[in-house]
Amino acid sequence: QVRVVESGGGLVQAGGSLRLSCVASVNIFSLNAMGWYRQAPGKQRELVARVTDISTTDYSDSVRGRFTISRDLAKNTVYLQMNSLKPEDTAVYYCNAETVWGPKWGPGTQVTVSS
């Protein structure tokens, strides 16, 4: 059974930084991509950033230039470095592992940015 676990959320002031981590318990050859999504209260879940197995990255327009996604293949871990955080970045952040058996989601981690 594939497990996906996020960590690193918390409370930070506007302009601050946080780093999220996500570990997927799956063989790297069974992973096509990993990504971060977020869902704010009353809103739909949206893509934040994604990295493929060939290290191609994609970002939403709202975070491009402020967030950086990276991946440690040896550890099956993906990171999201979030800088210059804004109150509108407040949400539950979910990690998604795109496996050969389908998408696997973590339980999420709360990120709260105070103004």
Side-chain angles (χ1 to χ4, degrees), residues 33-98:
M34 293 184 73
W36 288 97
Y37 292 72
R38 67 186 182 187
Q39 187 167 18
K43 295 187 176 181
Q44 289 189 330
R45 190 173 298 189
E46 62 175 0
L47 173 69
V48 176
R50 178 177 177 266
V51 58
T52 70
D53 54 352
I54 56 171
S55 298
T56 302
T57 58
D58 187 27
Y59 296 92
S60 70
D61 290 341
S62 62
V63 307
R64 187 174 290 112
R66 299 187 297 122
F67 291 10
T68 302
I69 190 169
S70 60
R71 184 173 176 180
D72 186 331
L73 291 175
K75 298 181 179 179
N76 268 1
T77 300
V78 64
Y79 305 98
L80 186 67
Q81 179 65 43
M82 305 185 293
N83 298 328
S84 302
L85 282 161
K86 305 175 181 180
E88 51 263 44
D89 293 318
T90 295
V92 178
Y93 284 69
Y94 297 91
C95 180
N96 175 257
E98 299 176 24

